[in-house]
Amino acid sequence: EGVGTREIARDSGCHVPSLYYHFSSKENLYREAFDERWSELIEAVERAALVAEGPQARLRAFIATFYAHLAQDRELLVLLMRDVINAAVAPPRYLSGSGHAQLLALMTRLLSELRGGTVDEHMAFTVMALIFGYGCGLQLAGGETIDAAVREQHLFDTIVRMIGARAP
C-alpha cells in the first residue's frame, strides 16, 4: 500500500505494461510475491521436520527451521503478521490460509507422534500460535540477543508439557 505500479516497475527494472502483462493488478503482484516467500518457508519446515529422526527431533527441526527462516527473512515475518491482521478485517484476503492449513496438518502429526496418541487440531493450532507468537516477540523485540538453542529448548519443553508428552 502506498507504492504505485510505476515505482514497482522502476525498482524491478521493467516497464509498467510488462508488469501488467504478468500481473493483472498490484494486488495480484503482492499475492504472488507473498505466496512465493511463504511457500519457501513451508517447504523448508516440512523438509527439515520430515527428514529428522524421531519425534523430538522432528518437532525441534520444525521450530528451528521456522525461526531460522524468519530470522533470514524478517520482511516475511512482517508480511505474515500483516496477513493475520488483514484476515481479522477481511477474511477472504487471508493469503497464508492454505499454507497455514498445511503447517497445521504437519504440526498435528508431529505432536501426535510425540505424545504417542492423538492430538486434535485445536491443540496443534494452539502450539502453532505459540510458535508464531513467540517468534514474533523474539524477532521484533531484539530476540537476536537470545541464544537460539536456549529459546528453542525452552519452547520445546513448554510444548511437551502442554501436550502431556513424556519429556525426552
Side-chain angles (χ1 to χ4, degrees):
E1 294 178 21
V3 176
T5 52
R6 290 184 193 283
E7 292 173 88
I8 294 170
R10 183 192 67 231
D11 290 353
S12 64
C14 70
H15 300 287
V16 174
S18 297
L19 193 65
Y20 280 110
Y21 176 79
H22 294 285
F23 307 99
S24 61
S25 67
K26 189 171 75 168
E27 177 69 24
N28 285 342
L29 171 62
Y30 177 83
R31 185 180 309 272
E32 286 290 324
F34 178 91
D35 285 347
E36 184 175 324
R37 291 165 96 169
W38 182 221
S39 293
E40 288 172 4
L41 180 142
I42 293 167
E43 290 170 15
V45 167
E46 284 183 328
R47 190 172 39 254
L50 296 176
V51 300
E53 293 188 29
Q56 292 93 6
R58 281 190 270 287
L59 180 58
R60 289 177 192 277
F62 182 106
I63 294 168
T65 304
F66 187 83
Y67 288 148
H69 201 90
L70 290 181
Q72 292 173 352
D73 190 355
R74 290 176 71 109
E75 286 182 5
L76 177 59
L77 176 63
V78 174
L79 292 173
L80 285 169
M81 289 189 299
R82 181 179 182 194
D83 189 47
V84 169
I85 292 167
N86 285 339
V89 177
R93 194 168 181 262
Y94 185 39
L95 301 179
S96 59
S98 63
H100 179 266
Q102 195 174 343
L103 287 178
L104 183 60
L106 174 60
M107 182 56 69
T108 302
R109 287 193 315 268
L110 294 175
L111 294 176
S112 294
E113 183 182 16
L114 181 63
R115 185 178 191 186
T118 304
V119 170
D120 65 23
E121 280 192 353
H122 298 290
M123 178 60 80
F125 181 87
T126 302
V127 170
M128 287 292 300
L130 175 66
I131 291 170
F132 183 69
Y134 196 78
C136 291
L138 288 173
Q139 290 297 325
L140 299 177
E144 63 276 351
T145 60
I146 300 170
D147 181 71
V150 171
R151 77 168 178 239
E152 289 164 16
Q153 181 64 47
H154 172 72
L155 185 57
F156 178 82
D157 293 343
T158 300
I159 293 168
V160 166
R161 284 192 307 274
M162 280 178 59
I163 67 168
R166 285 176 266 121

